[in-house]
Amino acid sequence: MASKDEVLRLIEEAAATQATELDLSGTGMKELPSEIAQLSSLLDLDLRNNQLSSLPSEIAQLSSLQELDLSGNQLSSLPSEIAQLSSLQLLYLSGNQLSSLPSEIAQLSSLQLLYLNGNELSSLPSEIAQLSSLQILDLRHNALAIPPEILEKVYEPATIINYYLQQQEQETLPLNEAKMLVVGQGNVGKTSLVKRLMNNDYNPHENKTEGIDILPWEIKVNDSTIQVNIWDFGGQEIYHATHQFFLTKRSLYLLVLDARQGDEDNRLEYWLKLIESYGGESPIIIVGNKSDQHPLDLDKRGLQNKYPNIKAILETSCKTGQGIDQVTNWITETIAQLKHVGDLLPKTWFQVKTRLENMEKDYISYEHYEEICEEENVTQEQNQSTLVGFLHDLGIVLNFKDDPRLETTQVLKPEWVTNGVYKILNDRDLIIESKGVLKLQDLTRILDRNRYPSQKHSFIIDIMKKFELCFRLDDDERYLIPDLLPKEEPDTGEWEEALTFEYHYNVLPNSIISRFIVRTNQYISKKTYWRTGVVLANEGNRALIKSDREEKIIYIKVNGFPPTRRNLLAVARSQFDHIHGTIPKIEVEEKIGYKGILLDYQEYLDLERAGEKTRYETKLREKVNVTEVLNGFESERDRARREQKTISEFTVQSQRDTIIY
């Protein structure tokens, strides 16, 4: 912590040298000296992590300032003089106590980035819409009545501001909706539980769910009626590849287990980690069904310590009705505590939402959607786009406006898409006869022509391609679906002297290897693929990539010319990097094979970064050259590029997620 005299000395030195940068972060100062006005040449001022509760009016004298970082202070307001910082481009105010913004902020015409997350803002000045240069606006973790799906669009400032202003100008209505996702393995009784909860109904011969059923269930929470949209997921293995696209935040998860089976058979940790990855901090209720036949045997305390989002672990029997009331009560209590259930929507937006929900059609064109908006006085193109994006995020409709293949169809019912895809994934002939090869004309046989007319078949295929479920073979009419390939591994040749690289996972989603096969299809060698693996070829080198679900490992072996085979490894790693980047919180360790033992790749990268030349490996009883080991898998130039890319991605993620910098 620096004294006031030390801070003044730093300011005087900066003034004397006409410095363009000044770092006063973490000095502990409670007041910014008025002498700061002397720094007319300053471009970048860092005041992070101090105890500032206000700014002096002299701040206005910093006319050249382009970047100002005030995050992690105790500011409750900003002086109106801040408007005079006409050159300011980046303004960081995260982690303060701001309850309002001055209307003069609109005069910062050069401002491009404005970070305000982690404050106490409950309103915004309407003038904020005048910030025409703004590219990033982060308002998360405030008291603003803006749904998180809107607030998270930090790279779309106009969307956030437009939504807020619409709320201020119109009458609003509470959303009063929640999403409850019912997940678990097949045949554990998910659908039976849903029917017991909704209608106290039980069918001992209940058919297994094929795809997803989305059912509205009204419950009373305090004095309000809340519509719980229940997403009942089919538990069959083949469906897991698409679950990731519908496991979302702002949801309640019901994880259903078969009480007669153990943790492994129920894949308990798999589901908990999957929910943790995609569902964020969404609450979880574990329900052990069939407890009339066997009590649920779990380490309840240990599970709740490991996964704090577990709100309750309950036992039920859908057959006898035992425990159903308790499950209902826990659902009601948990939904009452969910944030944003009562988010306010502009009335005109609510009317559009209601009309879409009440339509019997499975889908409409985007033009039809725009007509409905016009009829309900949602006339601005920006508002229409924001609304459809919001309804997509809520799972009320599906729209892929950013994908040119799919943008023209405004899908009303998500289950129309998912169940169409699942019909394909479940088709017996595709699995047994065609070995996963789908012809476009097959859809005439597989899909109900009334719900899925031929002119929409290409749309379904494009959805599958978007979800990385299939890829086009050499001709335009045939597609390969890796999840439907035979399980048996073909003869792939010898790999004794191969370069060895492995990914070790805390949980291995089934979709990773199938998505990898889709993404690397142009490198596939002589149609050598099966359900859990593939052989790639490039520059005379061959790579074997296969997944072991039980061991939670993906193995990569590369044969070929030593100077170039690492290039093929780089191709594979780049695709896995992309896939891992789409799975939040996934934990992956990279291992490399060296003289018959496995080494921790990251550990060797850290050694190189620290300047260590050698490392003694106990298992080998010898010293090994750190750089030599690493060069066998990746060139120094590529390592430097990868590190720079990681740093850039970390910086972007920090800007997105961190409240105090």
Side-chain angles (χ1 to χ4, degrees), residues 407-626:
E407 62 182 350
T408 57
T409 297
Q410 166 63 38
V411 179
L412 299 180
K413 295 180 173 61
E415 61 267 41
W416 178 79
V417 170
T418 56
N419 291 339
V421 170
Y422 290 152
K423 284 284 186 186
I424 297 168
L425 296 180
N426 258 331
D427 186 69
R428 179 180 173 82
D429 286 350
L430 268 183
I431 298 169
I432 297 175
E433 302 296 332
S434 302
K435 310 296 185 189
V437 176
L438 171 70
K439 298 176 183 175
L440 191 59
Q441 59 263 35
D442 290 339
L443 298 187
T444 304
R445 172 182 57 80
I446 297 170
L447 300 177
D448 180 340
R449 69 182 62 188
N450 293 320
R451 290 197 73 187
Y452 302 92
S454 58
Q455 63 266 30
K456 286 300 173 188
H457 289 178
S458 293
F459 179 86
I460 296 294
I461 293 292
D462 284 338
I463 284 281
M464 293 179 67
K465 287 161 67 177
K466 181 179 179 65
F467 287 176
E468 296 179 347
L469 293 171
C470 70
F471 64 88
R472 193 178 69 192
L473 291 170
D474 294 336
D475 61 80
D476 291 347
E477 300 299 319
R478 298 192 310 140
Y479 301 85
L480 185 75
I481 306 172
D483 278 311
L484 301 186
L485 286 169
K487 289 184 178 180
E488 185 175 353
E489 179 179 343
D491 181 12
T492 60
E494 294 296 324
W495 302 92
E496 287 295 323
E497 303 299 321
L499 195 66
T500 300
F501 195 97
E502 297 178 6
Y503 291 105
H504 292 232
Y505 297 82
N506 63 333
V507 59
L508 178 53
N510 303 327
S511 61
I512 288 183
I513 193 66
S514 58
R515 290 178 63 192
F516 177 83
I517 294 171
V518 170
R519 294 183 64 85
T520 57
N521 71 84
Q522 71 270 33
Y523 295 102
I524 293 175
S525 173
K526 299 178 181 178
K527 299 184 179 179
T528 310
Y529 37 60
W530 62 104
R531 194 172 300 183
T532 57
V534 65
V535 175
L536 307 181
N538 191 40
E539 298 179 334
N541 302 301
R542 296 172 74 243
L544 169 69
I545 298 96
K546 62 180 182 178
S547 168
D548 187 323
R549 192 186 79 180
E550 299 306 319
E551 296 293 331
K552 293 179 283 193
I553 297 174
I554 286 179
Y555 300 92
I556 303 176
K557 292 183 179 294
V558 188
N559 269 338
F561 188 46
T564 61
R565 63 182 181 176
R566 66 186 181 186
N567 296 342
L568 185 51
L569 174 62
V571 169
R573 289 183 66 200
S574 68
Q575 296 304 328
F576 280 118
D577 286 346
H578 173 86
I579 294 168
H580 294 157
T582 65
I583 307 174
K585 295 188 178 180
I586 193 167
E587 296 175 19
V588 191
E589 292 182 358
E590 296 176 329
K591 305 286 185 181
I592 52 177
Y594 182 76
K595 293 187 177 182
I597 66 170
L598 281 180
L599 306 177
D600 187 307
Y601 191 61
Q602 185 59 50
E603 190 175 317
Y604 268 73
L605 290 173
D606 292 341
L607 287 171
E608 183 182 56
R609 197 176 295 117
E612 299 288 339
K613 301 296 184 185
T614 61
R615 165 71 177 266
Y616 183 79
E617 286 296 342
T618 306
K619 290 181 181 178
L620 296 175
R621 297 183 180 180
E622 65 179 59
K623 282 186 177 181
V624 298
N625 184 296
V626 171

Side-chain angles (χ1 to χ4, degrees), residues 157-173:
T159 295
I160 300 171
I161 294 169
N162 195 261
Y163 181 90
Y164 176 78
L165 295 179
Q166 287 293 306
Q167 273 192 332
Q168 304 308 301
E169 296 167 3
Q170 293 187 29
E171 180 185 351
T172 56
L173 295 171

Side-chain angles (χ1 to χ4, degrees), residues 328-479:
T328 302
N329 291 339
W330 268 103
I331 290 171
T332 303
E333 183 177 324
T334 306
I335 285 177
Q337 297 172 9
L338 279 179
K339 297 177 181 178
H340 306 293
V341 169
D343 279 343
L344 298 176
L345 275 185
K347 185 177 179 180
T348 55
W349 291 31
F350 202 94
Q351 289 166 181
V352 173
K353 169 184 168 293
T354 302
R355 280 188 60 177
L356 293 176
E357 287 178 312
N358 291 337
M359 292 182 77
E360 294 185 4
K361 295 181 177 180
D362 288 319
Y363 56 86
I364 58 174
S365 67
Y366 195 81
E367 289 73 18
H368 189 175
Y369 162 73
E370 291 174 317
E371 290 170 6
I372 292 171
C373 288
E374 294 282 347
E375 290 167 8
E376 299 298 341
N377 291 318
V378 181
T379 55
Q380 293 183 23
E381 184 178 339
Q382 175 70 54
N383 290 341
Q384 294 171 356
S385 178
T386 300
L387 175 56
V388 77
F390 178 53
L391 297 178
H392 173 92
D393 291 338
L394 288 179
I396 293 169
V397 303
L398 288 183
N399 174 260
F400 303 99
K401 59 183 178 180
D402 297 327
D403 191 319
R405 299 169 298 183
L406 307 170
E407 62 182 350
T408 57
T409 297
Q410 166 63 38
V411 179
L412 299 180
K413 295 180 173 61
E415 61 267 41
W416 178 79
V417 170
T418 56
N419 291 339
V421 170
Y422 290 152
K423 284 284 186 186
I424 297 168
L425 296 180
N426 258 331
D427 186 69
R428 179 180 173 82
D429 286 350
L430 268 183
I431 298 169
I432 297 175
E433 302 296 332
S434 302
K435 310 296 185 189
V437 176
L438 171 70
K439 298 176 183 175
L440 191 59
Q441 59 263 35
D442 290 339
L443 298 187
T444 304
R445 172 182 57 80
I446 297 170
L447 300 177
D448 180 340
R449 69 182 62 188
N450 293 320
R451 290 197 73 187
Y452 302 92
S454 58
Q455 63 266 30
K456 286 300 173 188
H457 289 178
S458 293
F459 179 86
I460 296 294
I461 293 292
D462 284 338
I463 284 281
M464 293 179 67
K465 287 161 67 177
K466 181 179 179 65
F467 287 176
E468 296 179 347
L469 293 171
C470 70
F471 64 88
R472 193 178 69 192
L473 291 170
D474 294 336
D475 61 80
D476 291 347
E477 300 299 319
R478 298 192 310 140
Y479 301 85

Side-chain angles (χ1 to χ4, degrees), residues 49-319:
N49 301 331
N50 284 296
Q51 300 176 39
L52 300 173
S53 57
S54 62
L55 294 176
S57 59
E58 286 81 0
I59 195 83
Q61 303 302 312
L62 305 180
S63 56
S64 300
L65 200 63
Q66 296 178 8
E67 181 171 350
L68 175 59
D69 195 338
L70 287 156
S71 53
N73 279 282
Q74 299 171 19
L75 298 172
S76 57
S77 63
L78 296 176
S80 58
E81 288 83 357
I82 201 169
Q84 296 178 43
L85 301 179
S86 57
S87 299
L88 197 63
Q89 297 176 21
L90 287 74
L91 178 56
Y92 299 90
L93 290 161
S94 305
N96 279 281
Q97 299 168 19
L98 296 170
S99 56
S100 63
L101 298 175
S103 59
E104 289 83 358
I105 200 169
Q107 297 176 38
L108 299 177
S109 57
S110 300
L111 196 63
Q112 297 176 21
L113 279 67
L114 176 56
Y115 287 92
L116 288 157
N117 54 322
N119 279 282
E120 299 171 8
L121 296 170
S122 58
S123 63
L124 300 172
S126 59
E127 291 84 355
I128 198 170
Q130 298 172 28
L131 295 174
S132 57
S133 300
L134 205 58
Q135 297 174 17
I136 293 178
L137 174 62
D138 194 347
L139 286 164
R140 295 171 298 171
H141 309 293
N142 279 283
L144 294 161
I146 303 177
E149 290 82 1
I150 300 293
L151 285 175
E152 286 174 1
K153 299 183 185 299
V154 295
Y155 292 91
E156 300 177 25
T159 295
I160 300 171
I161 294 169
N162 195 261
Y163 181 90
Y164 176 78
L165 295 179
Q166 287 293 306
Q167 273 192 332
Q168 304 308 301
E169 296 167 3
Q170 293 187 29
E171 180 185 351
T172 56
L173 295 171
L175 185 61
N176 284 352
E177 285 194 16
K179 187 175 178 181
M180 184 170 79
L181 300 113
V182 186
V183 298
Q185 293 297 98
N187 299 314
V188 296
K190 296 186 293 296
T191 300
S192 294
L193 178 60
V194 169
K195 290 190 173 181
R196 272 290 190 190
L197 290 170
M198 293 183 65
N199 307 310
N200 197 26
D201 185 29
Y202 176 72
N203 177 5
H205 307 294
E206 187 70 58
N207 293 325
K208 64 182 181 181
T209 303
E210 294 189 359
I212 300 174
D213 285 335
I214 304 175
L215 305 164
W217 179 38
E218 290 191 350
I219 62 172
K220 204 75 174 171
V221 176
N222 300 325
D223 296 326
S224 301
T225 299
I226 304 297
Q227 178 171 301
V228 180
N229 297 314
I230 301 177
W231 289 52
D232 177 14
F233 285 80
Q236 295 90 303
E237 190 79 22
I238 195 69
Y239 298 151
H240 294 188
T242 56
H243 280 8
Q244 60 186 303
F245 301 103
F246 304 104
L247 303 183
T248 57
K249 300 175 183 178
R250 110 140 49 203
S251 304
L252 164 62
Y253 285 83
L254 231 59
L255 173 53
V256 186
L257 311 178
D258 185 335
R260 303 170 302 177
Q261 298 179 343
D263 295 3
E264 284 298 318
D265 289 332
N266 280 305
R267 297 192 73 185
L268 177 60
E269 290 273 342
Y270 168 84
W271 285 108
L272 288 172
K273 289 186 184 297
L274 212 61
I275 294 168
E276 185 179 56
S277 287
Y278 292 108
E281 298 179 358
S282 295
I284 304 167
I285 297 175
I286 295 178
V287 181
N289 186 31
K290 305 178 184 179
S291 61
D292 57 313
Q293 301 175 47
H294 194 282
L296 184 64
D297 185 17
L298 292 179
D299 176 9
K300 297 182 180 180
R301 181 175 298 175
L303 276 173
Q304 288 182 302
N305 286 336
K306 187 174 181 180
Y307 300 96
N309 290 0
I310 298 175
K311 301 304 177 185
I313 300 175
L314 310 172
E315 297 186 42
T316 64
S317 168
C318 293
K319 181 178 179 180

Side-chain angles (χ1 to χ4, degrees), residues 26-41:
T27 61
M29 63 177 149
K30 296 182 179 180
E31 293 182 4
L32 183 63
S34 58
E35 285 81 356
I36 198 75
Q38 302 171 26
L39 307 180
S40 57
S41 300

